[in-house]
Amino acid sequence: MAPNTKVILIRHGQATHNLDDDFSQPDPRLTELGKEQCVKGLRDAFADGEWGDFKDLELVVVSPLFRTLETAFLVFGKEFREGKVPFVVLPEIQETSPNPCDTGSSVESLKAGFPSLDFSNCERHDWLTKTHGFYTRDNLGVRATCARKWLFERPEKVIAVVTHSGFLRWLTPQDFPFVENRDKYRNCEYRGYTFAGTLADDGEGGPFKLVEEQWSVELRKVKRAGEPATPAVGPPDHTTEEGTSGTGSFGGDGTFDDPEQPTIVF
């Protein structure tokens, strides 16, 4: 770990499934608004100095879904193409649900769409299977801790992570219950974090605990000024009279994947 590593956590831009909560769309792409959010909302803002550590960025870590890959290239593509900032595709930070919208495409499709990227991490194990194995909902706590550990052990001092709203709530579970109800990242919202000094599980998101920086908290307050309060949301009832799943669909973008307990045991 580099001393005082800074991690910027970013949710992808608006994708087509976000328009009508259509969770049946397979691996959705960004909308035109989503692309604009990436460029004007993030890239231009970073270049203008809104995120001071942008100039020192050393690594971009990205989920292997199309909307996150598109976001990463629209925001950081210039630095990647110039050989200044490498990208690492990490399946551990993919979205949480087994819905088609949160399940990725084959490695062959990804290589065809993004030929300059290395997708070897996606070949380590079956990252597309989310009904059993490592990528099930039951393993979300372990998966998030593995991702934090991976980030903690990186030598870079400034790292950007492009991922999804549901997984972000597991990556930083120590935020619960101390933020607004279901403080979901907006499309292309970003927050800045550093690692806490302790490696032990302290009951508030450890080990490898990420702590939001105060400038990030204050910036979010400013940007959200005047917005309506986030409504309370509960998991839907998918049980029919026969006791089987009704729609077979889960909340998109990890809507109902908030950790009930923030303690993560690695």
Side-chain angles (χ1 to χ4, degrees):
M1 171 190 175
N4 302 315
T5 297
K6 294 184 181 295
V7 180
I8 190 84
L9 301 180
I10 302 170
R11 184 191 178 197
H12 59 81
Q14 183 195 72
T16 55
H17 72 300
N18 295 139
L19 295 174
D20 299 304
D21 288 339
D22 182 2
F23 309 144
S24 66
Q25 294 185 27
D27 200 4
R29 275 51 167 177
L30 295 181
T31 64
E32 289 305 312
L33 174 58
K35 295 175 183 178
E36 183 177 338
Q37 290 170 335
C38 294
V39 176
K40 294 184 178 180
L42 289 183
R43 173 155 193 89
D44 290 352
F46 291 166
D48 289 340
E50 183 174 282
W51 173 37
D53 292 309
F54 174 67
K55 62 184 183 302
D56 300 317
L57 181 65
E58 295 180 82
L59 180 69
V60 173
V61 186
V62 58
S63 159
L65 274 72
F66 261 85
R67 58 188 181 273
T68 40
L69 292 164
E70 288 180 300
T71 297
F73 270 103
L74 286 168
V75 180
F76 304 111
K78 179 176 182 292
E79 288 71 25
F80 174 81
R81 288 187 293 271
E82 292 176 351
K84 296 178 180 178
V85 179
F87 283 17
V88 173
V89 180
L90 196 67
E92 282 83 348
I93 66 171
Q94 67 173 296
E95 189 54 297
T96 58
S97 91
N99 290 333
C101 68
D102 293 335
T103 302
S105 303
S106 67
V107 171
E108 291 73 20
S109 297
L110 294 173
K111 288 179 178 179
F114 304 92
S116 58
L117 291 184
D118 177 4
F119 290 98
S120 58
N121 283 330
C122 295
E123 298 170 340
R124 286 187 281 112
H125 40 72
D126 188 2
W127 71 284
L128 295 175
T129 298
K130 303 175 81 173
T131 55
H132 62 275
F134 181 70
Y135 289 101
T136 63
R137 277 194 162 107
D138 290 342
N139 284 332
L140 281 171
V142 173
R143 174 150 69 94
T145 304
C146 288
R148 288 197 301 273
K149 180 177 184 291
W150 187 93
L151 290 168
F152 180 87
E153 293 176 344
R154 295 294 305 190
E156 295 84 5
K157 295 181 180 179
V158 181
I159 302 172
V161 179
V162 184
T163 181
H164 309 265
S165 61
F167 187 70
L168 282 163
R169 290 197 290 271
W170 282 89
L171 196 60
T172 57
Q174 71 277 358
D175 286 347
F176 292 92
F178 307 110
V179 295
E180 62 175 291
N181 186 32
R182 297 192 184 278
D183 189 19
K184 182 176 180 177
Y185 278 64
R186 278 55 166 174
N187 288 118
C188 273
E189 183 176 3
Y190 69 93
R191 304 178 193 178
Y193 286 79
T194 56
F195 283 99
T198 179
L199 299 185
D201 183 353
D202 59 2
E204 294 185 351
F208 312 109
K209 177 180 176 181
L210 286 165
V211 180
E212 187 173 8
E213 295 188 281
Q214 191 58 36
W215 68 263
S216 176
V217 175
E218 297 302 322
L219 180 62
R220 186 161 73 258
K221 288 179 181 178
V222 171
K223 288 191 170 185
R224 294 188 181 186
E227 289 187 8
T230 304
V233 178
D237 183 3
H238 291 294
T239 304
T240 66
E241 292 181 0
E242 289 75 21
T244 58
S245 174
T247 64
S249 176
F250 298 85
D253 281 345
T255 302
F256 307 115
D257 285 335
D258 291 342
E260 294 181 359
Q261 298 294 332
T263 303
I264 302 297
V265 179
F266 182 65

